Amino acid sequence: MGQVGWKGLCLSLFDYKTEKYVIAKNKKVGILYRVVQLSILAYLVGWVFVVKKGYQDSDTSIQSSVITKLKGVAFTNTSELGERLWDVADYVIPPQGENVFFVMTNLIVTPNQRQDTCPESTGIRDALCSKNRDCPAGEAVIAGNGVKTGRCLKVRSNTNGTCEILAWCPVEKKSKPRFPLLVNAENFTVYIKNSIRFPKFKFSKTNVLNTDDDFYLKTCHYSAQHRYCPIFHLGKLVSWAGNNFQDMASEGGVIGIQIEWDCDLDKPPSECNPHYSFSRLDNKFAEKSISSGYNFRFAKYYRDADAVEYRTLIKAYGIRFDVMVNGKAGKFNIIPTIINVGSGLALMGAGAFFCDVVLLYLMKKSNFYRGKKYEEVKGGHLCLWICAGLLEEVQQGAQRLLLWPLKKTIH
Amino acid sequence: MGQVGWKGLCLSLFDYKTEKYVIAKNKKVGILYRVVQLSILAYLVGWVFVVKKGYQDSDTSIQSSVITKLKGVAFTNTSELGERLWDVADYVIPPQGENVFFVMTNLIVTPNQRQDTCPESTGIRDALCSKNRDCPAGEAVIAGNGVKTGRCLKVRSNTNGTCEILAWCPVEKKSKPRFPLLVNAENFTVYIKNSIRFPKFKFSKTNVLNTDDDFYLKTCHYSAQHRYCPIFHLGKLVSWAGNNFQDMASEGGVIGIQIEWDCDLDKPPSECNPHYSFSRLDNKFAEKSISSGYNFRFAKYYRDADAVEYRTLIKAYGIRFDVMVNGKAGKFNIIPTIINVGSGLALMGAGAFFCDVVLLYLMKKSNFYRGKKYEEVKGGHLCLWICAGLLEEVQQGAQRLLLWPLKKTIH
Amino acid sequence: MGQVGWKGLCLSLFDYKTEKYVIAKNKKVGILYRVVQLSILAYLVGWVFVVKKGYQDSDTSIQSSVITKLKGVAFTNTSELGERLWDVADYVIPPQGENVFFVMTNLIVTPNQRQDTCPESTGIRDALCSKNRDCPAGEAVIAGNGVKTGRCLKVRSNTNGTCEILAWCPVEKKSKPRFPLLVNAENFTVYIKNSIRFPKFKFSKTNVLNTDDDFYLKTCHYSAQHRYCPIFHLGKLVSWAGNNFQDMASEGGVIGIQIEWDCDLDKPPSECNPHYSFSRLDNKFAEKSISSGYNFRFAKYYRDADAVEYRTLIKAYGIRFDVMVNGKAGKFNIIPTIINVGSGLALMGAGAFFCDVVLLYLMKKSNFYRGKKYEEVKGGHLCLWICAGLLEEVQQGAQRLLLWPLKKTIH
């Protein structure tokens, strides 16, 4: 190209090219298209933007710290333990007050266990024996408490006995108090403090109401009326999860305390509040056999005057509370907005495509519209060019007159 | 359709249909459109692709394992405990070295507690009494340490006394050493080992510098100069979180150690490094009343020569460190790329729409452009066809000559 | 506008405007365009919808609760501890059965430690001394066990000695049994119960097979054949993670048990099953020096007849198991579907743009096509209007005849 060519190209860069439309005065398709356009607009505005907040960038990787603190004492009077008072240091395991805490509500205590030999518990199938050969020395009892010594212990010369084992003796009795020992645990309260942070938006908050009223925070209990009070009554926690505390206290169980933060950070921070929900996490009914409820064993170790170690084994039943925090924060961001608007607009194109199909293939005069929409250009056919050449001289004059302003130059 | 018709349809499938554009030689709108195009392109390239890495698929569900190990000893000399040395087994709770660990810095020790009766602590409102009837037997003291026995204990015959309770006696004194006991905890160090894995990309890494220099890893301390050293000085951890260790040591608190992995897996793995940040998680100022700081109670249980249990109750103040790991890995993936490019292109359409509005409704000659852009097709109007019919014969000859190459056939 | 104008505008709202296309009978570009269209369609259907399930909304913020319970006993016979049986209460730390549990497999026991003075361990560089001045009183031994008293303890008058320290004495010996003590820990089993919930879809499930066959759940062991049995053999867990239990038992380590839930909630809930994978989380080889394996120290505290506290320090080596749960649930949702379809369609536009470039700039007759595609409209040029004005009268008649049905009116 010459000087002029480049200049022309340069200038033509700033020509505005706009798509040419054919107006089909077909009211049916026209109304159809408007309906489609309005539907898409309604979907975009109503669903994507208002309901789903599609204009927001969201952060779901919440950072959370939970501090829990229990309060309450319980008094028990059993033949085994005598009169005994239980306080926080006795019944909360572990004591640190993390997001998972266990409140002991029932227990089997086996005191004064020592490393010794004794008969295995009678309920264990692998330890049943009739003669010493049934108890090979050194073999661990399956699902039992110790290692067989090789002797079969029998009351009189019955055929049924149990193997003698080397274990922490005496072994645990397999019976648990029918009624939960720490019935009063129902009245304990727990203070749950949850600090959260959305790292993407550098936004922090805690679940403790920001109030100057100290007395309120010391005495309030969470309920439907006091949604932002962080002190929970254990019995109510369990009932909100759809269970009865007394039932759970006997066998144990796991209660999930879900704290959900759904924050719209385009609003003021005071409107970002936690929502609590409670559910039972261990399935009460499904698998009775393998492990209904929740319990675990731990021991307190002592030494006697001769420095020989002995222990108190405790099988603790109780309720484990899992505080689970999850959250989502949204804040206006241009990228999801653009992606959603862009997708909406692209959808308009899809709508137009759909209407085109109706117009061009389903309408009565579809042939006519097709002809109008598609302008055929037979480039490169020889006959055309011959014809065109022949006619050119004739056209030349008329065309200049008639069509020049339209600039439909063939070449 | 006949044989020819099907063949034609088949062939026409491979015709290329391209949108017809009208060139409006309007420089204003032309430049406007180019500016809009460039803006969208700049946004797409600069923001979506370079800054936000919109061409990457991201994985935010990081799997993380944290091992922590403290080192350090502290010596204390108090009237209560005498000369005493504290080592890791004494002051770290729990001992396992998980992602949450607590360093005891101050404590109230109440030794030799036994199940017994004794007066309740004087500070508790519910236990104040003037006569025995104020202390109904069997009632637990609210926010107290035990269960009332029914007696009101008074020094002389004063009107003011406290209820006698059944509890672990003597009850804890409500005074805490003014100065933190384990002041030297400031100099303890903690080794934090964090192994992470992005399951979507099957990518694993640890925060420990991959070096052969054993000596470096044994002696380094994390600082601005040593960003990949995993050993942290507790005092500095606290100061980086904007607090003073001595202040925190007295009342306790929670420090969050955030480890952030922001990995671009299109780069070599060695460039995927953790970024540490430190913050105080319990709000120091907001709620003084209910639970400022961080503390919890635990007990060590003993048995005396007669096998009677007694315990040492410890109210431990200290700093809990929560190691919180979050991360995001991105790797090139065609789907987000296409979504972003597609949305960008759709945006071009929106830009064209905007320029169309300017051209067709806001320009002086908008009427003229409107006429050019929209080609009206009045199908189905009877009068048109009558007129057309009348004129057809006349048109026939001229049209063939002039317009045939343009192929603007009406039918 | 007059009455008629408004009516016209109103009616024209329901005119359907469809883009005008130019049919370029160029088979090359036509085929190219069809290929591009098919590729995009294949990508959209095959990749986005079938493989990536782009029609689903997904929830990755899984809520999970893990209960673990170990079974098994081990018998050891060492000169130090004598014959001893280890049961769950002895070797599991912490005892509560949370998602992280530690099985002790080897240990260094230092019994009868008391607060006293004794020589520091000989292996610690900072405690080596030749004279008292090398041991400044009150200074803590770096990486040691106590505080220097100011005396240098020497066997005979050698030059080499170690500082006397105030510490829990005697200090721990730095030797660990070459062979793991609790070799039999390999045969322990762990029952892992995992309850999950996808809050967005309110969907809950547990990993325990929903069966009535109690016996199966009591006796099964997880393996390739029993994928939904929740009881794991520790030795196999370690071997699945690519390690040897005996090797790990000696030095300790961390095994990650990943439970992955990838649920398609458009299918029945019974098809949402956990997938287990096992990996070693502490790097065995990389950093030998600083802390290979996994161990920690804890103490059991006792009181003697005079109520003086003494303790047994235990350095526990063992395997920590981290149960890590992550998951993703997908369910059909219209928004991601629309975003993906919209993006796909926008991509079609990109394909058309690409083909346009080929047609208009790379084909031989590109000039010709360019002329057809772009209809030039020179508005506002004076000369044009002069010419146009001169020619208008002549055109008027002919145009009416020829072009009126085409409605190509210039004004």
Side-chain angles (χ1 to χ4, degrees):
Chain A
M1 290 188 228
Q3 190 79 356
V4 186
W6 281 112
K7 202 188 159 193
L9 188 74
C10 206
L11 277 174
S12 76
L13 260 182
F14 297 108
D15 289 344
Y16 179 59
K17 297 183 188 83
T18 181
E19 286 159 22
K20 181 151 190 159
Y21 277 81
V22 175
I23 300 180
K25 287 206 173 284
N26 185 312
K27 290 282 172 291
K28 282 179 203 159
V29 180
I31 289 168
L32 179 71
Y33 185 57
R34 291 295 169 193
V35 167
V36 168
Q37 274 185 322
L38 281 177
S39 312
I40 293 169
L41 209 72
Y43 150 78
L44 202 68
V45 172
W47 182 250
V48 178
F49 282 91
V50 175
V51 178
K52 287 286 171 180
K53 301 215 172 88
Y55 57 89
Q56 290 189 331
D57 190 15
S58 70
D59 184 359
T60 56
S61 66
I62 189 173
Q63 286 178 344
S64 151
S65 160
V66 174
I67 299 175
T68 54
K69 195 163 199 174
L70 279 135
K71 272 210 190 312
V73 291
F75 173 77
T76 65
N77 190 353
T78 62
S79 58
E80 210 164 30
L81 298 165
E83 292 197 332
R84 203 195 138 108
L85 188 104
W86 300 81
D87 69 2
V88 170
D90 294 323
Y91 64 73
V92 179
I93 298 166
Q96 301 99 275
E98 295 180 9
N99 65 323
V100 176
F101 59 96
F102 169 82
V103 175
M104 187 154 56
T105 54
N106 205 1
L107 65 168
I108 303 173
V109 180
T110 314
N112 297 317
Q113 284 193 327
R114 283 162 192 271
Q115 294 278 342
D116 203 350
T117 56
C118 53
E120 174 62 283
S121 170
T122 50
I124 293 165
R125 191 187 304 191
D126 190 48
L128 298 179
C129 62
S130 57
K131 51 192 175 300
N132 286 350
R133 270 194 295 166
D134 293 341
C135 303
E139 195 187 83
V141 181
I142 295 166
N145 298 299
V147 172
K148 296 171 187 169
T149 59
R151 291 178 60 201
C152 182
L153 299 178
K154 306 186 219 175
V155 195
R156 282 174 265 161
S157 57
N158 273 345
T159 44
N160 292 324
T162 52
C163 295
E164 190 192 55
I165 54 169
L166 180 84
W168 284 99
C169 287
V171 298
E172 187 185 276
K173 288 172 293 167
K174 288 272 173 192
S175 76
K176 140 170 100 33
R178 263 188 66 198
F179 299 105
L181 212 63
L182 277 81
V183 166
N184 291 332
E186 190 165 358
N187 298 317
F188 295 170
T189 57
V190 61
Y191 162 70
I192 298 175
K193 183 167 157 190
N194 175 219
S195 307
I196 55 127
R197 187 166 167 263
F198 289 105
K200 200 192 262 178
F201 304 124
K202 306 202 183 311
F203 176 85
S204 301
K205 221 186 161 188
T206 90
N207 71 328
V208 180
L209 194 67
N210 199 352
T211 176
D212 290 330
D213 189 351
D214 287 1
F215 186 73
Y216 174 75
L217 284 180
K218 267 187 178 164
T219 56
C220 70
H221 279 193
Y222 175 86
S223 67
Q225 283 76 47
H226 300 282
R227 299 207 156 277
Y228 305 126
C229 170
I231 298 172
F232 299 82
H233 181 269
L234 289 200
K236 284 185 188 157
L237 270 186
V238 172
S239 71
W240 287 323
N243 287 270
N244 180 280
F245 193 89
Q246 301 303 326
D247 295 351
M248 275 191 87
S250 171
E251 280 286 343
V254 184
I255 295 285
I257 301 173
Q258 278 101 24
I259 305 183
E260 214 166 318
W261 296 83
D262 189 357
C263 290
D264 182 348
L265 299 185
D266 295 329
K267 293 181 184 168
S270 62
E271 301 207 11
C272 168
N273 285 311
H275 174 81
Y276 300 90
S277 59
F278 312 95
S279 58
R280 181 156 182 181
L281 293 180
D282 67 308
N283 198 327
K284 191 167 45 166
F285 305 107
E287 347 78 79
K288 274 241 133 133
S289 59
I290 188 157
S291 168
S292 66
Y294 180 69
N295 60 69
F296 60 87
R297 285 183 184 82
F298 69 96
K300 291 178 190 166
Y301 294 87
Y302 308 100
R303 296 218 164 185
D304 62 17
D306 306 327
V308 176
E309 199 174 29
Y310 64 101
R311 71 175 193 184
T312 297
L313 179 68
I314 294 162
K315 182 170 185 183
Y317 293 83
I319 305 176
R320 192 176 95 183
F321 294 89
D322 281 32
V323 182
M324 295 185 276
V325 180
N326 74 315
K328 193 170 76 79
K331 200 171 192 174
F332 172 76
N333 188 299
I334 194 71
I335 290 188
T337 310
I338 281 168
I339 286 180
N340 281 313
V341 169
S343 301
L345 289 174
L347 219 62
M348 295 269 186
F353 178 76
F354 170 68
C355 291
D356 271 8
V357 168
V358 171
L359 182 75
L360 300 182
Y361 298 100
L362 302 181
M363 287 282 131
K364 268 184 204 160
K365 279 179 300 263
S366 58
N367 256 325
F368 167 76
Y369 289 116
R370 218 144 61 221
K372 295 308 295 176
K373 185 176 169 78
Y374 297 114
E375 180 178 310
E376 211 164 317
V377 178
K378 278 216 191 74
H381 282 224
L382 196 66
C383 70
L384 178 74
W385 290 109
I386 292 168
C387 300
L390 286 172
L391 292 169
E392 204 150 18
E393 291 299 318
V394 186
Q395 277 182 36
Q396 218 61 270
Q399 211 182 2
R400 286 247 166 85
L401 277 173
L402 297 168
L403 296 172
W404 189 76
L406 291 167
K407 202 67 188 174
K408 282 216 177 266
T409 42
I410 291 162
H411 306 282
Chain B
M1 290 188 228
Q3 190 78 359
V4 186
W6 281 112
K7 204 186 157 195
L9 189 74
C10 206
L11 278 172
S12 77
L13 259 182
F14 297 107
D15 288 345
Y16 179 60
K17 295 183 189 80
T18 181
E19 285 159 23
K20 182 149 188 158
Y21 278 80
V22 176
I23 301 180
K25 286 206 172 289
N26 185 312
K27 290 281 173 288
K28 280 179 202 160
V29 180
I31 288 168
L32 180 70
Y33 186 56
R34 292 295 168 195
V35 167
V36 168
Q37 275 185 324
L38 282 178
S39 310
I40 293 168
L41 209 73
Y43 150 78
L44 203 69
V45 170
W47 183 250
V48 179
F49 282 91
V50 174
V51 178
K52 287 284 171 181
K53 299 214 172 89
Y55 57 89
Q56 289 189 332
D57 189 17
S58 71
D59 185 1
T60 55
S61 65
I62 190 173
Q63 286 177 344
S64 150
S65 161
V66 174
I67 298 175
T68 54
K69 196 164 198 172
L70 279 136
K71 272 211 192 311
V73 290
F75 174 76
T76 64
N77 191 352
T78 61
S79 57
E80 211 163 31
L81 298 165
E83 292 199 332
R84 203 196 137 107
L85 188 105
W86 300 82
D87 69 3
V88 169
D90 294 323
Y91 64 72
V92 179
I93 299 167
Q96 301 101 275
E98 297 180 8
N99 64 324
V100 176
F101 59 95
F102 169 82
V103 175
M104 188 153 58
T105 53
N106 204 0
L107 66 167
I108 304 174
V109 180
T110 314
N112 297 318
Q113 284 192 326
R114 282 163 193 268
Q115 294 278 344
D116 204 351
T117 55
C118 54
E120 174 62 284
S121 170
T122 49
I124 295 167
R125 192 186 305 189
D126 189 50
L128 298 178
C129 62
S130 57
K131 51 191 173 302
N132 285 351
R133 270 193 296 166
D134 293 341
C135 304
E139 197 188 83
V141 180
I142 295 168
N145 299 301
V147 173
K148 296 170 187 169
T149 58
R151 290 179 61 201
C152 182
L153 300 177
K154 306 186 218 176
V155 194
R156 280 175 263 159
S157 55
N158 273 346
T159 43
N160 292 324
T162 53
C163 296
E164 190 191 56
I165 54 169
L166 180 85
W168 285 100
C169 287
V171 298
E172 187 185 277
K173 288 171 294 164
K174 289 271 172 194
S175 75
K176 145 171 96 33
R178 263 188 67 197
F179 299 106
L181 212 63
L182 277 84
V183 166
N184 291 333
E186 190 166 359
N187 298 318
F188 297 168
T189 58
V190 59
Y191 163 69
I192 297 175
K193 183 166 156 192
N194 176 219
S195 306
I196 55 126
R197 186 167 167 263
F198 289 104
K200 197 190 261 179
F201 303 125
K202 306 202 183 310
F203 177 85
S204 301
K205 219 183 164 191
T206 90
N207 71 327
V208 179
L209 194 67
N210 198 353
T211 175
D212 291 330
D213 188 351
D214 287 0
F215 185 73
Y216 175 74
L217 283 181
K218 268 190 176 162
T219 56
C220 71
H221 279 192
Y222 175 87
S223 67
Q225 283 77 48
H226 301 281
R227 299 207 154 276
Y228 305 124
C229 170
I231 298 172
F232 299 83
H233 182 270
L234 290 201
K236 283 185 189 158
L237 269 187
V238 172
S239 71
W240 286 323
N243 286 269
N244 180 278
F245 192 89
Q246 300 304 327
D247 295 348
M248 273 191 90
S250 172
E251 281 287 340
V254 184
I255 294 284
I257 302 174
Q258 278 101 23
I259 307 184
E260 213 166 319
W261 296 82
D262 188 356
C263 289
D264 183 347
L265 299 185
D266 295 328
K267 293 182 184 166
S270 64
E271 300 207 12
C272 167
N273 284 313
H275 174 80
Y276 301 91
S277 58
F278 312 95
S279 59
R280 181 156 185 181
L281 293 181
D282 67 308
N283 198 326
K284 193 167 41 164
F285 305 107
E287 354 74 79
K288 274 239 135 134
S289 59
I290 190 159
S291 170
S292 66
Y294 181 68
N295 60 71
F296 60 88
R297 286 184 183 83
F298 68 98
K300 291 180 189 167
Y301 295 86
Y302 309 101
R303 294 216 165 188
D304 61 19
D306 306 326
V308 176
E309 199 172 30
Y310 65 101
R311 72 175 193 184
T312 297
L313 179 68
I314 294 161
K315 182 169 184 181
Y317 293 82
I319 304 176
R320 193 175 95 183
F321 294 88
D322 281 31
V323 182
M324 294 185 276
V325 180
N326 74 316
K328 194 170 74 80
K331 198 170 193 176
F332 173 77
N333 187 299
I334 194 72
I335 291 189
T337 310
I338 282 169
I339 286 180
N340 281 313
V341 168
S343 301
L345 288 174
L347 220 60
M348 295 272 186
F353 178 76
F354 170 67
C355 291
D356 271 8
V357 168
V358 171
L359 182 73
L360 301 182
Y361 298 99
L362 302 181
M363 286 283 130
K364 268 186 206 160
K365 277 179 301 262
S366 57
N367 255 326
F368 168 76
Y369 287 117
R370 217 144 61 220
K372 297 308 298 175
K373 184 177 169 76
Y374 297 114
E375 179 177 310
E376 208 164 320
V377 178
K378 276 214 192 76
H381 279 224
L382 195 67
C383 71
L384 177 75
W385 290 108
I386 292 168
C387 301
L390 288 172
L391 292 170
E392 203 151 16
E393 289 300 319
V394 187
Q395 278 182 36
Q396 217 61 268
Q399 210 181 3
R400 285 245 167 83
L401 277 172
L402 297 168
L403 297 172
W404 190 77
L406 291 166
K407 204 63 186 175
K408 280 218 178 263
T409 44
I410 291 161
H411 307 282
Chain C
M1 289 188 228
Q3 188 80 356
V4 187
W6 281 111
K7 204 186 157 195
L9 188 73
C10 206
L11 278 172
S12 77
L13 260 183
F14 297 107
D15 289 345
Y16 179 59
K17 298 184 188 80
T18 182
E19 286 160 20
K20 181 149 190 158
Y21 277 80
V22 176
I23 301 180
K25 287 204 174 284
N26 185 311
K27 290 282 173 288
K28 281 180 204 161
V29 180
I31 289 168
L32 178 70
Y33 185 56
R34 292 296 169 194
V35 167
V36 168
Q37 274 185 324
L38 282 177
S39 311
I40 292 170
L41 209 72
Y43 150 78
L44 202 68
V45 171
W47 182 249
V48 179
F49 283 91
V50 175
V51 177
K52 286 287 172 179
K53 300 217 171 84
Y55 57 89
Q56 290 189 332
D57 189 17
S58 70
D59 184 1
T60 55
S61 67
I62 190 173
Q63 286 177 345
S64 151
S65 160
V66 174
I67 298 176
T68 54
K69 196 163 198 173
L70 278 136
K71 273 212 191 308
V73 290
F75 173 78
T76 63
N77 191 351
T78 61
S79 58
E80 210 165 30
L81 297 166
E83 291 198 335
R84 203 194 137 107
L85 187 104
W86 300 81
D87 68 4
V88 170
D90 294 324
Y91 63 73
V92 179
I93 298 169
Q96 304 100 273
E98 295 180 10
N99 66 323
V100 175
F101 58 95
F102 170 82
V103 175
M104 187 155 57
T105 53
N106 205 0
L107 63 170
I108 305 173
V109 180
T110 315
N112 297 318
Q113 284 193 326
R114 284 162 192 269
Q115 293 278 344
D116 204 351
T117 56
C118 54
E120 175 60 285
S121 169
T122 49
I124 293 166
R125 189 187 305 192
D126 189 49
L128 298 178
C129 62
S130 57
K131 51 193 172 305
N132 286 350
R133 271 194 296 167
D134 293 340
C135 304
E139 196 186 83
V141 181
I142 294 168
N145 299 300
V147 173
K148 296 171 186 169
T149 58
R151 291 178 59 200
C152 184
L153 300 177
K154 307 187 216 175
V155 193
R156 278 174 265 159
S157 56
N158 273 346
T159 45
N160 291 327
T162 53
C163 295
E164 189 191 55
I165 54 169
L166 180 83
W168 285 100
C169 288
V171 298
E172 187 185 273
K173 289 171 292 168
K174 290 271 175 194
S175 75
K176 142 172 97 32
R178 264 190 62 198
F179 299 104
L181 211 63
L182 276 82
V183 166
N184 291 334
E186 189 165 1
N187 298 318
F188 296 169
T189 57
V190 61
Y191 162 69
I192 298 175
K193 183 165 155 193
N194 175 219
S195 306
I196 56 126
R197 184 165 168 266
F198 289 105
K200 199 191 262 179
F201 304 124
K202 306 204 182 310
F203 177 84
S204 299
K205 220 183 163 192
T206 90
N207 72 327
V208 179
L209 195 65
N210 198 352
T211 177
D212 290 329
D213 190 351
D214 287 0
F215 186 74
Y216 174 74
L217 283 181
K218 268 188 176 163
T219 56
C220 72
H221 278 191
Y222 175 87
S223 68
Q225 284 76 46
H226 300 281
R227 297 206 157 278
Y228 306 124
C229 170
I231 298 172
F232 299 83
H233 181 269
L234 289 200
K236 283 184 188 157
L237 269 186
V238 172
S239 72
W240 287 323
N243 286 270
N244 181 279
F245 193 90
Q246 300 305 325
D247 295 350
M248 272 191 90
S250 172
E251 282 286 343
V254 184
I255 294 285
I257 302 173
Q258 279 100 23
I259 306 184
E260 214 166 317
W261 296 84
D262 190 356
C263 290
D264 183 347
L265 298 185
D266 295 328
K267 294 182 184 167
S270 63
E271 300 207 13
C272 167
N273 285 311
H275 174 79
Y276 300 91
S277 59
F278 313 94
S279 58
R280 180 155 184 182
L281 292 181
D282 67 306
N283 199 327
K284 193 166 46 167
F285 305 107
E287 352 72 79
K288 273 244 136 131
S289 59
I290 189 159
S291 168
S292 67
Y294 180 68
N295 60 69
F296 60 87
R297 285 183 184 85
F298 68 98
K300 292 180 191 166
Y301 294 87
Y302 308 100
R303 293 216 165 186
D304 61 18
D306 306 326
V308 175
E309 199 173 30
Y310 65 101
R311 71 176 194 183
T312 297
L313 180 69
I314 295 161
K315 183 171 185 181
Y317 293 82
I319 304 174
R320 192 176 94 183
F321 294 88
D322 281 30
V323 182
M324 293 185 279
V325 180
N326 73 315
K328 193 170 77 79
K331 199 169 193 174
F332 172 77
N333 188 299
I334 194 71
I335 292 189
T337 311
I338 281 168
I339 287 181
N340 281 313
V341 168
S343 302
L345 288 175
L347 220 61
M348 294 274 185
F353 178 76
F354 170 67
C355 291
D356 271 9
V357 168
V358 171
L359 182 75
L360 301 181
Y361 300 101
L362 303 180
M363 287 283 130
K364 269 185 204 160
K365 277 178 302 264
S366 57
N367 255 326
F368 168 76
Y369 289 115
R370 216 146 59 221
K372 297 308 296 177
K373 185 176 168 77
Y374 297 114
E375 181 179 308
E376 209 164 321
V377 178
K378 276 215 191 75
H381 279 226
L382 196 66
C383 70
L384 176 73
W385 290 108
I386 292 167
C387 300
L390 286 172
L391 293 170
E392 203 152 13
E393 290 298 318
V394 187
Q395 277 180 37
Q396 218 63 268
Q399 210 180 2
R400 286 245 166 84
L401 279 173
L402 298 167
L403 295 174
W404 188 76
L406 292 166
K407 203 65 188 172
K408 283 220 175 262
T409 44
I410 291 161
H411 303 286

